[in-house]
Amino acid sequence: MPKAFVTGWPVSHSKSPLLHGYWLDHYKVDGSYEAIPVSPDDFKNFLFGLKDRDFAGGNITIPHKEIAFEIIEECDEAAELIGAINTVWFEGDCLRGANTDAYGFSANLDDQAPRWRQGKTALVIGAGGASRAVIFSLIEAGFNQIHIANRTVERAKVLAARFGSKCFAHSLDAVPELLSEAQLLVNTTSLGMTGDKGETSFDLSPLPSGAIVTDIVYTPLQTPILEEASNLGLESVDGLGMLLHQAVPGFEKWFGKRPAVTSGLRNHILDVL
Ligand code: ATR
C-alpha cells in the first residue's frame, strides 16, 4: 500500500490531508496520506529516513520548502527557479523533488479563465516565495512584460534579476500606472487575508476592461481585490483552484492515478475553510 505524507512545522493547518484523502476515497485507492509535524532541526533526518519508512513520497510545506531544495539534488526546472520544493517522490532509491505551485497556478487559470494565455503584460503584487511560482508560470505562458510591485522594492528587484529581462521591479506607488497596461493582475501577498481592506485595497478602475484578476490567497475566498474586480465587472479567479491543482502531480506520482479537480473536491475543501 503506497504511503504519502505532508510535513511542516506546524502542519496542522494544512489542507493537503483532506484533499488527498478525498481522492483516495473517491478513486478507491489503497493508500494513505498523513500529516507529520517535523521541526527544522529534525527535517534532514526525516528526509533521509523516508525510504526506510517505506514512503512513496509526500508534500513539504512551510518552513521546510527551501531547505528541501538545498538538500535534494534531483529536482525539476520550476523548483530550480523558485528555489523551493513542495513535492517529493522516489524513483528507485533516488528521492526527486518538484515545485508544483507554478503548475497549480497555470492549471487553475486554464480551468477558470483560459484566455489568460493570450495576455502579454501582467502585474504581480508581492515578491515573496509565492510570487516566484507565479512569475515562473507567467514566463512559461508567454508573457513578455511582467511587472513586480512590492512594498519592499529591493525584494522585487531581486526577483526581477532572478527571472530575467521580461521582469521589472516597482514599488507599490507604481501600481495605479501599471494597472492601465495589465491584462492580468495577480495578488500574491497576504493582503486581505483577514478580510480587512485597510491599506490593502487598490483602485482597480485603471485596469483595461478585458483584464483578468486573480489572487493566490483563498481565505477568504473573495479577497478585497477579487471583490473590487467583480464590482468593476472584471473576470476574477479565486486562489482555491491553485491549491487543488498543485496537488495533482504528487497524487499521480505516489498512487499511480492522475486525479481530477472537480466541483465535488472544491466543495469538500470549502466546507472546512
Ligand atoms: P509567501 O511565501 O507566502 O509569498 P512572504 O515571502 O512572507 O510569503 O511574502 C509576503 C509578501 O506579502 C511580500 O511581498 C510582502 O511584502 P514585503 O516584501 O515588503 O514584506 C507582502 N506583504 C505582506 N504584508 C503586507 C502589507 N501589509 N502591505 C504590503 N505588502 C505586504
Side-chain angles (χ1 to χ4, degrees):
M1 179 183 88
K3 293 197 311 180
F5 65 86
V6 55
T7 185
W9 186 254
V11 75
S12 51
H13 64 280
S14 172
K15 305 287 178 288
S16 295
L18 200 68
L19 216 163
H20 289 287
Y22 177 91
W23 280 330
L24 286 171
D25 265 10
H26 183 80
Y27 294 110
K28 300 191 172 37
V29 170
D30 186 21
S32 69
Y33 187 95
E34 62 185 300
I36 308 177
V38 176
S39 76
D41 281 350
D42 294 335
F43 181 68
K44 204 169 179 176
N45 283 338
F46 172 80
L47 268 192
F48 291 139
L50 285 175
K51 190 75 194 162
D52 286 344
R53 292 172 69 182
D54 237 15
F55 279 107
N59 288 124
I60 293 167
T61 188
I62 296 165
H64 302 319
K65 295 202 260 190
E66 287 79 14
I67 299 141
F69 172 69
E70 278 163 30
I71 298 174
I72 297 170
E73 283 170 13
E74 297 295 322
C75 63
D76 70 350
E77 193 198 351
E80 290 282 355
L81 266 160
I82 296 166
I85 282 176
N86 71 348
T87 304
V88 296
W89 68 96
F90 281 101
E91 279 180 23
D93 283 342
C94 175
L95 186 65
R96 301 188 67 102
N99 189 306
T100 65
D101 286 335
Y103 165 79
F105 177 79
S106 299
N108 184 34
L109 287 178
D110 285 344
D111 232 23
Q112 305 292 322
R115 66 185 178 85
W116 79 284
R117 287 190 181 269
Q118 294 159 18
K120 292 286 167 238
T121 303
L123 171 57
V124 179
I125 307 206
S131 170
R132 293 180 175 206
V134 168
I135 296 165
F136 182 87
S137 298
L138 296 175
I139 291 172
E140 277 221 311
F143 280 76
N144 54 26
Q145 284 205 62
I146 300 164
H147 297 288
I148 308 162
N150 197 42
R151 177 178 59 181
T152 313
V153 71
E154 284 310 316
R155 285 186 91 191
K157 285 183 183 163
V158 169
L159 280 201
R162 184 176 181 104
F163 283 93
S165 60
K166 292 173 182 165
C167 298
F168 307 90
H170 307 270
S171 70
L172 292 179
D173 297 341
V175 166
E177 203 177 317
L178 295 169
L179 282 171
S180 63
E181 299 166 33
Q183 290 145 335
L184 178 68
L185 170 65
V186 188
N187 177 45
T188 72
T189 70
S190 48
L191 297 177
M193 272 186 93
T194 58
D196 170 22
K197 280 201 172 187
E199 60 183 307
T200 70
S201 66
F202 295 104
D203 172 14
L204 299 187
S205 56
L207 277 171
S209 57
I212 298 169
V213 179
T214 187
D215 204 318
I216 66 159
V217 168
Y218 53 87
T219 48
L221 202 56
Q222 279 302 113
T223 61
I225 284 179
L226 294 184
E227 215 162 88
E228 195 167 341
S230 301
N231 290 341
L232 290 168
L234 297 168
E235 185 167 9
S236 65
V237 178
D238 68 58
L240 182 56
M242 177 176 172
L243 172 78
L244 308 181
H245 282 282
Q246 63 76 32
V248 168
F251 190 93
E252 184 177 24
K253 291 274 185 217
W254 314 316
F255 303 118
K257 161 88 196 163
R258 191 163 182 90
V261 171
T262 58
S263 54
L265 174 67
R266 189 177 157 91
N267 291 334
H268 186 67
I269 305 296
L270 274 177
D271 276 349
V272 300
L273 287 185

